[in-house]
Amino acid sequence: MTEITMPTKYDPKSTEAGRYEWWLNGKFFEADPTSDKEPYSIVIPPPNVTGKLHLGHAWDTTLQDILIRMKRMQGYDALWLPGMDHAGIATQAKVEEKLRGEGISRYDLGREKFLEKTWEWKEEYASHIREQWAKLGLGLDYSKERFTLDEGLSEAVKEVFVKLYEKGYIYRGERIINWDPAAKTALSDIEVIHKEVEGAFYHMEYPLADGSGKLRVATTRPETMLGDSGVAVHPNDERYAHLVGKTVILPIVGREIPIVADDYVDMEFGTGVVKMTPAHDPNDFEVGNRHNLERILVMNEDGTMNDLAGKYAGMDRFECRKQIVADLQEAGVLIEIEPHTHQVGHSERTNAVVEPYLSKQWFVKMAPLAEEALKMQEDENEKVNFVPNRFENTYNRWMENIHDWCISRQLWWGHQIPAWYNNETGEIYVGKEAPADKENWTQDEDVLDTWFSSALWPFSTMDWPNEEAELYKRYYPTNTLVTGYDIIFFWVSRMIFQGKEFTGKRPFQDVLIHGLVRDAEGRKMSKSLGNGVDPMDVIGQYGADSLRYFLATGSSPGQDLRYSTEKVESTWNFVNKIWNASRFALMNMEGLTYEQIDLTGDLSTADKWILSRLNETIDRVTTLSDKYEFGEVGRELYNFIWDDFCSWYIEMAKLPLYGEDEAAKLTTRSVLAYVLDNTMRLLHPFMPFVTEEIWQHLPHEGESITVAAWPTVNPTFNFTAEAGDMQLLMDIIRSVRNIRAEVNTPMSKKVAMTISAKDAGIAAVLEANKGYIEKFCNPDGLTIGTELEAPAQAMSAVVSGAEIFMPLAGLINIDEEIARLEKELEKWAKEVKLVSGKLSNERFVSKAPEALVATEREKLADYEAKYATVEKRIAELKNM
């Protein structure tokens, strides 16, 4: 066994640093195809290569690491495949920002040189991410790391694009899309964040061309009126029926535009007249298609006004708004400016106000893909299981109302769309390779939405489309995905419908959903609030084990997590409690080898109790982990380690350890070694660093705790009776401590004790374990028997099966003791009433399991006995 050189406090800076190489070289983490258990696989939610992992990603990966370590220890052929996402918009924005600092743009470099620079960025920041994964202690199989722009993944992307195009599910068309003027690219609906903005409704009058009147319209974006090509009224609106087919004059511009009738118009809203700008509004676009209205695009890609905006050309869209409002007021056609708070779309990546914009883009037809994915959810054996299951409804509702997906992006960093245009005819060719006479064809310059490749992640990382590939055959579908509820629409849904379409299977069996990490006040973390937390800073101060345990156990599935330095510090204290308890145990088992551990000797009541409690903890931790209830797992481990092992067993173990009985000493050392070994294994998935460090000092077999077997319940150690005996002893010790505290009598002062057991069996148990009572109660004489009379002027306490008396003449006030006992009597009366009510409920008695009813009856008998004992004691004191 390693010599004990453990410091008095666990220092992550000294002890964890030496373990980082274990996570990096893949020594312990490669999958084991020789395992006789079924494969268990997870793919890491890929972070984008912009340099830093945030707390949400740390939360994802910590939960997945717990699962993979547990499954590996349970003997599964466990694969955890890591990777990174190229993050088109975010990464290109970072690289362009860097270039601007050097006084150049991507256009100065050209596409090829720009991509070289971006790959250099990727390599630099990917290494940072690996270092952060290592510091977090992730048990990844680095030999299988993937990147969304890898050659293999690019092949998968092209395969999917071509197949969807051939089925008619991918098409190119001119439609209104979300346009980011800062990044100069299209966005999908879910890349748009809606924020509340103080704006206005601008009410204007458009004069009828024949001079017979005016129509009142309103808009929140007056700059787009320059692109108006019609006004619409409802066909059933009698107010305007006579005007349909006539024209109005567009103010400032002076262009005649038609009045059309369309069901889209809400007669009850405003004046019932709506201006139509088909090139700048999705609804107007649809109305315009129905009535052949002209599409007039008045804005450039950078958000400035173009030549069709006339005298406003070159102005920024918001400056143009101010000028048009002023001009409309001067012309006398702006009737009212009505303050209006409304939701305005902003780019998720650049925070620019998104512009609805007419553009020719590539789209995925979502209806058939969504239909198949939803149908899969109806089959219990094929569906993706959401945890908590309420998020399945969230997913289903979104899929039922999904729109076609705009997949083209006006970027250079990403998968270039595998489509070519004939230089002469304009014919479109789509294929995995360029046309044979490629000099006559030009490839589409756009790239695909990053989520298009991320949607294929569960199977593209496993060498698909080669369905005979060993990785794909063995590990797909994967078992579990862990992610936040904010990414269900971005990523989870897309993986599901692409997995179903191209593999015929769900991409993962379970998806464990967690919430957002918020600050201590419940606010979302953001740069503007300055409340963000870098997980690497937390690790530097408190260690990865503290952060991991907090993230894993601080919330229940689906709920948000409030970050609190105090809570992380509390976990750090827990780590040190484990460390110091282990130091004590190791010092007292020095020289003990694994082969010398012997649990067949004469086990004490405390030994049998802690072994029983270990069995219960193993069972609960395993069961709860399988249900992803890691918050409950944390409570089980905390209670067992801090309360049972540290506060009680270690203290009781000191009796034989410091005694003269060598056989008892060996047995206690063996129990300590066995319990600590198994406890470290249970804790290892949560705290890989400290458990490895302690385990290496313990008597053990094997190279690392990482590949040690997961603890299992040993039926030999189910000592139900002795566990009950121990509970009685602990209740007695606690009661004595409480009595002493009430009368301010320190434990160092000896006080006589009398314990009256309710029967001879309990008396025998107390007699057999009187050493513990004497050690922890420090009595000046201990009397144990049945039906013993209470000494005069004694404090008393009632526990299940016994009554404790401590004659404290001169130390207690009889009236105060009666008052205390009367409060206790009230407590037992409430318990009797509560349980009696439950047992008098015929529905409960008839429908509840027999074991539960029996337990409640036992409780009632116990509470009634305690009530009677306290009542009797009050009467005795009153008669003194």
Side-chain angles (χ1 to χ4, degrees):
M1 190 176 70
T2 309
E3 183 182 352
I4 309 248
T5 55
M6 299 168 72
T8 55
K9 273 205 169 187
Y10 181 60
D11 180 6
K13 293 181 178 65
S14 64
T15 52
E16 289 186 1
R19 304 294 176 194
Y20 289 163
E21 70 275 9
W22 290 358
W23 323 132
L24 286 171
N25 65 17
K27 182 176 182 182
F28 297 126
F29 304 119
E30 292 180 359
D32 177 18
T34 63
S35 169
D36 59 358
K37 281 200 173 185
E38 62 190 67
Y40 183 93
S41 57
I42 292 177
V43 288
I44 194 169
N48 64 53
V49 284
T50 52
K52 277 193 173 183
L53 301 182
H54 52 74
L55 273 175
H57 188 77
W59 195 2
D60 287 339
T61 51
T62 293
L63 294 176
Q64 290 199 335
D65 194 52
I66 288 168
L67 289 169
I68 210 73
R69 287 177 183 274
M70 196 173 295
K71 293 300 179 182
R72 184 179 289 114
M73 294 173 78
Q74 289 170 351
Y76 286 84
D77 171 18
L79 169 70
W80 193 14
L81 192 150
M84 299 175 208
D85 194 321
H86 66 277
I89 297 175
T91 303
Q92 180 155 322
K94 290 281 187 182
V95 176
E96 290 198 73
E97 183 183 351
K98 184 180 178 184
L99 291 175
R100 280 194 296 274
E102 300 169 7
I104 56 176
S105 74
R106 63 167 159 147
Y107 301 103
D108 296 327
L109 290 176
R111 187 170 193 140
E112 190 174 330
K113 289 289 185 184
F114 175 77
L115 290 178
E116 286 178 11
K117 291 281 188 185
T118 312
W119 275 104
E120 288 172 9
W121 169 282
K122 179 263 175 185
E123 292 304 325
E124 177 185 353
Y125 283 92
S127 65
H128 295 336
I129 288 171
R130 291 187 198 101
E131 289 171 6
Q132 291 170 78
W133 280 343
K135 288 182 179 179
L136 196 53
L138 304 185
L140 296 159
D141 186 345
Y142 285 93
S143 69
K144 296 180 177 62
E145 183 183 327
R146 305 306 298 268
F147 180 56
T148 46
L149 290 179
D150 283 351
E151 185 178 341
L153 274 69
S154 295
E155 276 300 304
V157 167
K158 286 188 279 189
E159 176 84 8
V160 166
F161 187 95
V162 171
K163 288 280 178 65
L164 290 176
Y165 181 80
E166 289 172 348
K167 290 185 74 170
Y169 291 177
I170 282 183
Y171 63 93
R172 187 169 185 255
E174 193 173 54
R175 296 181 59 175
I176 297 290
I177 48 88
N178 302 298
W179 185 262
D180 181 340
K184 297 180 188 175
T185 183
L187 304 173
S188 66
D189 290 345
I190 53 178
E191 290 171 304
V192 178
I193 308 299
H194 288 87
K195 300 180 182 179
E196 200 168 83
V197 171
E198 293 294 332
F201 262 128
Y202 299 89
H203 296 265
M204 301 172 283
E205 287 183 334
Y206 286 13
L208 290 161
D210 61 8
S212 61
K214 299 174 182 177
L215 291 181
R216 185 166 174 170
V217 298
T219 181
T220 58
R221 299 156 64 215
E223 67 277 10
T224 64
M225 69 169 286
L226 302 171
D228 282 5
S229 58
V231 293
V233 297
H234 195 279
N236 298 331
D237 196 331
E238 295 178 359
R239 293 173 294 176
Y240 307 113
H242 65 291
L243 297 178
V244 174
K246 291 189 176 186
T247 59
V248 294
I249 303 296
L250 182 61
I252 296 178
V253 179
R255 186 172 66 246
E256 279 193 48
I257 56 177
I259 301 169
V260 299
D262 196 278
D263 290 337
Y264 161 71
V265 180
D266 182 356
M267 289 189 290
E268 306 302 321
F269 183 76
T271 61
V273 182
V274 182
K275 61 188 282 301
M276 291 288 115
T277 319
H280 288 275
D281 182 276
N283 296 313
D284 295 2
F285 175 80
E286 297 297 335
V287 174
N289 284 350
R290 290 193 287 271
H291 299 278
N292 297 314
L293 298 180
E294 188 179 359
R295 300 168 183 171
I296 305 171
L297 192 65
V298 296
M299 205 174 289
N300 294 312
E301 291 181 350
D302 63 356
T304 59
M305 308 307 290
N306 65 21
D307 290 343
L308 293 178
K311 68 177 184 178
Y312 306 102
M315 295 181 69
D316 174 78
R317 55 185 166 154
F318 298 120
E319 285 303 313
C320 176
R321 179 180 298 179
K322 293 177 186 176
Q323 188 59 54
I324 281 186
V325 168
D327 291 347
L328 289 169
Q329 286 174 321
E330 186 177 340
V333 296
L334 184 62
I335 307 305
E336 180 187 0
I337 299 176
E338 176 191 355
H340 175 59
T341 301
H342 59 139
Q343 296 287 321
V344 175
H346 289 68
S347 169
E348 182 207 16
R349 295 298 184 188
T350 67
N351 202 38
V353 173
V354 168
E355 192 68 37
Y357 195 77
L358 182 66
S359 181
K360 188 167 279 189
Q361 302 285 343
W362 289 90
F363 296 88
V364 174
K365 192 181 293 182
M366 284 307 307
L369 295 170
E371 183 181 350
E372 288 302 310
L374 286 167
K375 194 181 296 181
M376 182 173 68
Q377 289 304 105
E378 297 171 4
D379 188 331
E380 287 297 323
N381 297 316
E382 297 296 327
K383 67 182 290 190
V384 172
N385 302 301
F386 284 79
V387 183
N389 61 13
R390 68 177 183 274
F391 287 104
E392 183 175 356
N393 290 330
T394 303
Y395 162 79
N396 286 342
R397 297 296 83 77
W398 190 74
M399 291 291 280
E400 288 165 359
N401 297 286
I402 199 167
H403 300 122
D404 285 1
W405 174 17
C406 177
I407 56 172
S408 44
R409 298 290 180 270
Q410 288 62 56
L411 305 170
W412 287 353
W413 176 242
H415 295 98
Q416 193 168 351
I417 291 175
W420 287 260
Y421 308 102
N422 189 287
N423 297 334
E424 296 176 0
T425 66
E427 176 191 351
I428 298 177
Y429 166 79
V430 171
K432 293 171 69 175
E433 304 296 335
D437 56 337
K438 56 184 178 183
E439 64 275 3
N440 294 322
W441 298 77
T442 300
Q443 187 172 1
D444 194 310
E445 292 194 353
D446 290 352
V447 300
L448 289 164
D449 177 12
T450 300
W451 296 106
F452 191 91
S453 52
S454 296
L456 316 180
W457 187 257
F459 53 93
S460 63
T461 53
M462 295 186 186
D463 302 329
W464 186 92
N466 178 10
E467 295 191 357
E468 294 304 312
E470 190 58 36
L471 267 182
Y472 178 79
K473 285 167 62 179
R474 186 165 185 82
Y475 298 108
Y476 185 84
T478 63
N479 292 79
T480 307
L481 171 77
V482 181
T483 194
Y485 57 63
D486 58 326
I487 212 166
I488 291 175
F489 309 138
F490 282 95
W491 192 41
V492 177
S493 62
R494 289 172 173 168
M495 285 190 287
I496 293 173
F497 69 67
Q498 292 288 48
K500 175 60 177 172
E501 173 68 18
F502 288 97
T503 72
K505 303 171 184 173
R506 57 188 174 189
F508 26 77
Q509 179 177 312
D510 297 338
V511 52
L512 172 58
I513 300 293
H514 62 69
L516 301 177
V517 184
R518 299 185 179 274
D519 68 11
E521 297 174 33
R523 300 174 301 176
K524 191 173 180 179
M525 291 186 173
S526 67
K527 288 182 182 177
S528 60
L529 290 174
N531 60 350
V533 175
D534 186 339
M536 297 304 114
D537 292 342
V538 180
I539 289 172
Q541 186 170 2
Y542 296 107
D545 290 328
S546 299
L547 176 62
R548 287 169 60 107
Y549 196 80
F550 164 73
L551 290 172
T553 65
S555 177
S556 56
Q559 299 300 312
D560 289 346
L561 174 68
R562 291 195 179 193
Y563 179 82
S564 160
T565 300
E566 291 74 19
K567 288 180 181 177
V568 177
E569 192 167 344
S570 174
T571 301
W572 163 246
N573 291 332
F574 181 40
V575 174
N576 275 290
K577 182 78 169 179
I578 296 165
W579 184 259
N580 290 325
S582 301
R583 285 180 68 250
F584 167 81
L586 288 164
M587 283 188 293
N588 283 281
M589 65 176 78
E590 194 164 4
L592 182 71
T593 65
Y594 184 78
E595 291 72 23
Q596 290 175 322
I597 294 174
D598 182 8
L599 299 174
T600 63
D602 188 10
L603 296 170
S604 68
T605 299
D607 294 335
K608 291 178 179 180
W609 167 75
I610 198 66
L611 290 170
S612 285
R613 282 291 297 121
L614 176 64
N615 267 352
E616 292 170 5
T617 305
I618 291 169
D619 180 60
R620 290 284 293 158
V621 166
T622 305
T623 300
L624 289 167
S625 295
D626 287 341
K627 295 177 180 178
Y628 307 113
E629 293 285 355
F630 296 119
E632 292 302 313
V633 170
R635 277 181 276 281
E636 290 287 335
L637 287 170
Y638 185 92
N639 292 339
F640 175 75
I641 294 168
W642 193 294
D643 296 336
D644 298 339
F645 186 67
C646 296
S647 298
W648 286 103
Y649 183 73
I650 282 182
E651 293 304 313
M652 291 184 161
K654 289 176 182 177
L655 270 69
L657 287 175
Y658 299 160
E660 302 299 324
D661 188 333
E662 291 301 319
K665 193 176 294 186
L666 175 60
T667 297
T668 302
R669 295 171 78 201
S670 296
V671 171
L672 276 172
Y674 177 82
V675 172
L676 197 53
D677 176 10
N678 280 274
T679 303
M680 290 304 99
R681 296 183 198 217
L682 288 175
L683 194 61
H684 173 70
F686 296 83
M687 298 181 178
F689 292 107
V690 70
T691 53
E692 181 74 67
E693 192 71 22
I694 292 169
W695 195 81
Q696 290 293 341
H697 286 83
L698 283 168
H700 67 270
E701 279 188 324
E703 190 175 11
S704 167
I705 194 172
T706 310
V707 288
W710 182 254
T712 54
V713 171
N714 185 340
T716 308
F717 298 149
N718 285 337
F719 299 108
T720 307
E722 289 83 351
D725 295 344
M726 182 67 183
Q727 190 60 54
L728 174 60
L729 294 171
M730 291 190 295
D731 287 347
I732 289 170
I733 294 165
R734 286 193 196 99
S735 297
V736 169
R737 288 172 177 171
N738 290 339
I739 289 172
R740 283 176 173 272
E742 283 184 32
V743 294
N744 202 22
T745 302
M747 291 300 298
S748 57
K749 181 169 182 163
K750 289 184 174 290
V751 178
M753 270 184 67
T754 299
I755 304 177
S756 177
K758 76 172 183 180
D759 58 45
I762 291 176
V765 168
L766 297 176
E767 193 66 45
N769 291 281
K770 67 188 302 182
Y772 293 130
I773 301 171
E774 291 171 340
K775 167 69 177 175
F776 296 106
C777 296
N778 195 24
D780 183 14
L782 173 63
T783 305
I784 298 171
T786 57
E787 298 182 5
L788 299 177
E789 293 294 324
Q793 294 190 351
M795 294 283 282
S796 66
V798 178
V799 297
S800 297
E803 190 174 8
I804 306 149
F805 304 109
M806 298 183 71
L808 299 171
L811 295 177
I812 68 167
N813 181 297
I814 298 293
D815 292 336
E816 288 178 359
E817 175 63 357
I818 290 172
R820 184 188 72 81
L821 287 171
E822 284 176 339
K823 284 186 180 179
E824 189 174 345
L825 192 68
E826 287 179 18
K827 181 183 82 170
W828 296 126
K830 287 179 183 176
E831 296 290 357
V832 168
K833 183 178 180 181
L834 182 68
V835 181
S836 295
K838 192 179 288 188
L839 289 172
S840 63
N841 185 333
E842 291 184 11
R843 190 173 178 185
F844 169 76
V845 174
S846 62
K847 293 194 174 183
E850 286 184 21
L852 179 58
V853 175
T855 300
E856 292 299 316
R857 285 182 174 139
E858 287 173 8
K859 279 186 189 178
L860 179 60
D862 183 43
Y863 295 152
E864 287 176 337
K866 287 174 177 174
Y867 181 90
T869 303
V870 172
E871 188 177 42
K872 177 184 175 186
R873 179 64 181 145
I874 291 171
E876 290 170 352
L877 288 173
K878 286 181 175 178
N879 291 328
M880 282 186 180

